[in-house]
Every structure is written in structure tokens, then in C-alpha cells.
Amino acid sequence: ELKVEQNPLFLSMQEGKNYTIYCNYSTTSDRLYWYRQDPGKSLESLFVLLSNGAVKQEGRLMASLDTKARLSTLHITAAVHDLSATYFCAVGYGGATNKLIFGTGTLLAVQP
Amino acid sequence: DTAVSQTPKYLVTQMGNDKSIKCEQNLGHDTMYWYKQDSKKFLKIMFSYNNKELIINETVPNRFSPKSPDKAHLNLHINSLELGDSAVYFCASSQSGPNEQFFGPGTRLTVL
């Protein structure tokens, strides 16, 4: 059974601090996606990682993919309150179908 | 605006009723999806259509029937609604292949 696990499930951090969210998956894949969801809102695409060693950065967020370890990380640098949201990783399988298996989500609360 | 849109945004109904949710995308994508997000925010793929052909059909009660009249539209009809069907249903679209999926605003279904 395909499993995608994120940790931590909940992260409370202070503004200005750094932290990393981890996404582990059980079956080989070379594609991984990070999404952000604000309360009551839709999912916003953050990063698309399509190869081993891929690293992408946008503002205070940086995502990486290690397909051999079946691990992706989302690193937050100098957190600000606006980053408070739920972050999901999703692993893609299949060719044209690109079936996404979502992780459990990490609720990030950045305290002033 | 280019986007994925869904109607209705909210749907409150009694057990046993039949209801439909509609989705449209004007992004020119050839693949559309239905996801269910439960009360714990867990996201699970239900169906996917590529060029009007059903390509992902997860283990979902057969009370749920998707229909795609054309590439830009994907509807979800639910018969004999049950309490456990209460959730947020998201439509998404992408170009086929390992491409990011763009999500609609969601339809919050409440079954009383």
C-alpha cells in the first residue's frame, strides 16, 4: 500500500526561526509536489520536484527531493506569520495519469 | 480569469438525496480530477478523466458517478447521500504527465 507520511503533523514556531518539514513515502517515485492550504481555502501549488536531487526555492521556502531515500523536505527560513497554513506533500505515480497520493499535512503556526 | 471553478461552493442536504457538483477549467488542460478532503483534512483521489476517458477510478462507493462531457468539464453526481459523504470535494486539472495539478475552490458538502 502506498503511504506518504509527513512530520511533524503540527508545528508551532516563532517568527524568525528556521524549521524543516519532512515527507517520507513508501514506494519509488520520481515526482513530488508541495501544496499550501489556508483555512477554508483551496490548495495552492508551491513546488514541483521531478528528479533526484531537485531543489527549488521561493522566498523563505525551499524544497528538495531525494528519490533514493524516498524523502522530500520543505525548509522554512526566518518564518513570518504569513506562512501560517497547512502544507501538504503529494507523491505522483503513473504516466499520463499522474495519480497523487497526499501526505497527512503539516499545520504550521507562526507566532509573533 | 483562467482558473478551475466549481459550483456550488456550499451544499447542505438531507440523507438519501441525490446531488451534483460541477467543475469547469479554462486552462486548456486535458486531465481533470475529483478529490475528497475529510474532516481531518486528509485528501484522497477519487476519479480522473483524460480527454473524457476515465483513467483513475479509486475504491469509491458506486453511488458516486463522475461524468466528463468534454475536456473542460467534469461533474460529480452522488446518489443516496449518507452522513459519511460530508466533506469538501475538490476538482483539479492538469496537462497529462507529471505536471502540477491546479485545484478549484472546493465544494463543502454537508449531509444532515
Side-chain angles (χ1 to χ4, degrees):
Chain A
E1 183 187 343
L2 303 173
K3 283 188 179 176
V4 181
E5 295 180 344
Q6 285 181 237
N7 69 82
L9 296 183
F10 177 70
L11 177 55
S12 178
M13 56 191 299
Q14 286 189 311
E15 281 190 327
K17 299 290 187 184
N18 304 333
Y19 210 83
T20 300
I21 299 170
Y22 297 88
C23 175
N24 292 274
Y25 53 100
S26 62
T27 305
T28 301
S29 171
D30 59 359
R31 61 188 84 156
L32 191 132
Y33 309 80
W34 283 97
Y35 286 88
R36 168 182 171 147
Q37 186 178 36
D38 291 302
K41 301 291 185 183
S42 184
L43 284 89
E44 174 192 354
S45 176
L46 294 175
F47 299 108
V48 178
L49 304 168
L50 298 178
S51 61
N52 185 41
V55 177
K56 291 199 175 174
Q57 182 163 5
E58 180 73 36
R60 300 174 187 275
L61 301 177
M62 183 172 71
S64 66
L65 177 61
D66 181 343
T67 58
K68 293 179 181 175
R70 299 178 193 164
L71 171 69
S72 180
T73 60
L74 181 66
H75 187 72
I76 303 153
T77 302
V80 293
H81 180 67
D82 284 353
L83 289 179
S84 298
T86 299
Y87 292 85
F88 292 95
C89 64
V91 181
Y93 295 95
T97 57
N98 200 27
K99 174 176 162 179
L100 294 190
I101 307 298
F102 277 81
T104 45
T106 296
L107 176 58
L108 173 66
V110 181
Q111 313 295 340
Chain B
D1 287 343
T2 54
V4 181
S5 58
Q6 292 178 231
T7 53
K9 191 168 173 62
Y10 299 96
L11 191 48
V12 181
T13 188
Q14 300 285 333
M15 267 197 311
N17 284 348
D18 303 338
K19 290 293 177 186
S20 291
I21 306 170
K22 296 187 175 184
C23 178
E24 176 180 0
Q25 56 94 5
N26 61 6
L27 298 166
H29 292 156
D30 60 4
T31 307
M32 297 183 74
Y33 310 80
W34 278 115
Y35 288 87
K36 178 180 180 180
Q37 186 172 43
D38 64 21
S39 58
K40 295 184 179 178
K41 295 206 168 185
F42 184 65
L43 271 153
K44 187 169 167 52
I45 180 77
M46 299 173 70
F47 303 104
S48 176
Y49 273 78
N50 175 261
N51 283 318
K52 301 194 295 176
E53 180 186 348
L54 182 65
I55 56 172
I56 296 176
N57 187 1
E58 291 295 289
T59 308
V60 174
N62 58 15
R63 299 181 293 102
F64 290 79
S65 52
K67 280 203 177 123
S68 180
D70 56 57
K71 281 196 317 183
H73 296 85
L74 179 61
N75 304 323
L76 183 65
H77 187 76
I78 315 169
N79 288 325
S80 303
L81 278 154
E82 299 178 357
L83 292 176
D85 298 332
S86 295
V88 180
Y89 292 85
F90 285 101
C91 175
S93 74
S94 73
Q95 200 55 28
S96 54
N99 298 299
E100 66 190 306
Q101 295 178 17
F102 293 85
F103 283 75
T107 295
R108 182 174 293 276
L109 172 64
T110 303
V111 182
L112 303 174

